[in-house]
Each structure stands twice: as structure tokens, then as C-alpha cells.
Amino acid sequence: MLDFNANVLLIYTGGTIGMIEDPDSGILKPFDFNHLKAYVPELSRLKFNIDSIAFEHPVDSSDIGPDDWKKLVQIIEEHYEKYDGFVILHGTDTMSYSASVLSFMLENLTKPVILTGSQLPIGKMRTDGRENLITALEIAVDKDSDGNAIVPEVCIFFQNLLMRGNRTTKVNADNFSAFNSFNYPILAEAGTHIKYEHYLIHRPIKNAVPQFHYDLDPNVTILKIFPGISDNCIKAIFTNPHLKGVIVETFGAGNSPAHPSFLSVIEEAIKKGIVIVNVTQCASGAVEQGRYQGGKALKNIGVLSGYDITTEAAVTKLMFLFGHGFTPEKVKEQMQLSIAGEMTKS
């Protein structure tokens, strides 16, 4: 049920949803969020309080990074007690990365943090931004009969679907249905009513307080395997003296080339303490390293299975774990555990 005495904080980072078209030049530019209701008059009909904070310098989502994620965590921590929920307006290109890392940085949430945005600017006649924004705000203040938040986790709401943030991937650059959660069911669907799948929603640990984390280590990377990839290209990645972790995107159920020259490069990196995690290139499904020869060879030299984790969640999880100063062995241990509902072990 909606709490009409609730307070929600709207945080604008940048992105298409917060743009309007200059009538003279036709160029998209950020609008003044103090005048939000002028562009979305429907907000006046919501019976709860909405406050807003905008980044001083809005960030194109392709430029988003650790400093911006830390800023978001700081805003949420500073305002956590005052608000019942938080809605983050964000560009779509990297929204899944931000939702994933925030799910780790905001530990044991008791309140919703909902990311949303749009494919068309808020000032456009056919914008998808209004519906995305209004429903995200409603979800952010929705509570059960005991007064507890219905969705106390980091989510993405887009085109009528509420998804666990660290399970999402952007799948379409043009369609309003821009995101999907291939390996985890939808948490809620908005139609004439918002239908929640309560049993799927992540719950906080009872009697534990939220924790806000800020330390991230960006010395990780992604290696996408493709037919014909040269050993020299692979070796070049591992020459970085600061490298700590690599997400290897493999074929199918976790398969890669099995020839000795490829495997020796990977094995040597692991011996140096670099953590390597196997994630499938497929949109859905999971890594099963014992299923085929290529995957089994990776397992035998110490490559970790990423199971059904997304690349977005895997790479930001590595940043998060190494940011804590964990040893490679500790990082390996944590990468095999689901710490924020980001994967299902098979």
C-alpha cells in the first residue's frame, strides 16, 4: 500500500530522462530540476512528498564511474533516516553497472533504491520517462501492512518491469523495453496495479543495520573470448602490473580455447595472484565448467565459475571486493558466494 505520509528522495545523475530539447538548436540539454513538476505535472497528484537532488554537473552515463557511485552512496547515507525510499534517474547505457555496484555498496538495505530513466527525453511528447518516473516513485514508498518497505533492495524499473538491479542487462538501444533480467524472475510488473512477487524480493538481515561502503578498486578488466583471438592480445592484458582481477567472457556454458598456449597465459596470471572469473557470453544460462573440455580445462588451472552472474555484476563485484583490501584468496571465496542476490549457484 502507498504511504501518503512518506518522503522520497529523487536523485538526478544525468541521462536522457533529464534532458529537454533546445527549441532553437535542437540540442538536448539538462533541465533545471527545481522545475521538475512543470515537465511532469502528474507528480502534483502523488500524495507523498518528493524532494530532489541533482548532481551539480550531470554525468553522461557513458562517463559514469567509481567517483559517481561513491557520491550516490554518500547522498543516500546522509539522507537515509529522513526518506522512505530513493529514486535515481540515470542514463540507460550503464544503468546495469551502477545498479549492480550499488547493490554491493549499500549493504542490508531496509528501503528501496530504484534506478530508472528513459529512452526519450522527458520533454518529448512520446517520452517513456514520465511513466517510468511516476511508477518508480510509487514503488519507492510502497509498504506492507506492517509498515515495512515492500522492495528493500537496489532495483531497476523500466517499461512496467521491476528487476533486481544486479541481475539486469541493457538489451535494446531503441526500444522502450531496454532492460532484461535473463537469469532471475521479474520482481514486479506494473499494470492497472503493481503486482509484486514477494517471495523473490531480497530481504535485509533482521536486527542488522544498513552499511554504506565507499572503497572500490578499478584495477580489473573484461576479456571477451572470440574465435581466432591471438595469444599476444591476451598476454598484453596481463602485462598491466596493477591488474588484480579479470572477467573472462567465454562461449556457451563456460567454454574457451583449450590449446596449451592460451591456457598457459591464464594459468601464469592466476599463479601471480590475479583472480579470473568465467562468465558466459550468452544472454541467459550459466557457466558449468565441468560440462565440456574447454570449461573443465579452465577449472583445472584455477579459473572460478561465475555461474549465472552478469558481466556487469561480476566486474563491479570484483571492484568492490578488491576495494576492501581483501587478499586474492578472500576475493575468490567471496566471488563464489551470492552476497546481494547477484547469482544462483548450480
Side-chain angles (χ1 to χ4, degrees), residues 234-273:
I234 297 170
K235 288 176 182 178
I237 289 175
F238 292 102
T239 59
N240 180 353
H242 304 292
L243 185 65
K244 294 182 179 180
V246 178
I247 303 301
V248 179
E249 287 192 346
T250 56
F251 309 124
N255 301 308
S256 74
H259 53 76
S261 59
F262 170 81
L263 294 174
S264 65
V265 175
I266 302 296
E267 185 174 18
E268 185 63 29
I270 292 171
K271 288 178 179 178
K272 291 178 181 178

Side-chain angles (χ1 to χ4, degrees), residues 57-120:
H57 302 290
V59 183
D60 186 291
S61 71
S62 59
D63 287 324
I64 210 87
D67 288 343
D68 305 298
W69 295 330
K70 294 174 189 178
K71 188 184 299 185
L72 284 169
V73 172
Q74 182 179 19
I75 290 171
I76 292 170
E77 181 178 18
E78 288 177 353
H79 297 85
Y80 195 77
E81 296 304 320
K82 182 179 178 181
Y83 293 95
D84 298 273
F86 303 85
V87 172
I88 299 172
L89 298 182
H90 193 292
T92 58
D93 286 347
T94 57
M95 190 183 292
S96 290
Y97 289 93
S98 294
S100 295
V101 76
L102 288 175
S103 75
F104 306 129
M105 298 173 78
L106 301 170
E107 183 181 352
N108 207 49
L109 274 177
T110 58
K111 302 177 181 183
V113 174
I114 313 296
L115 287 81
T116 194
S118 67
Q119 295 286 67
L120 282 176

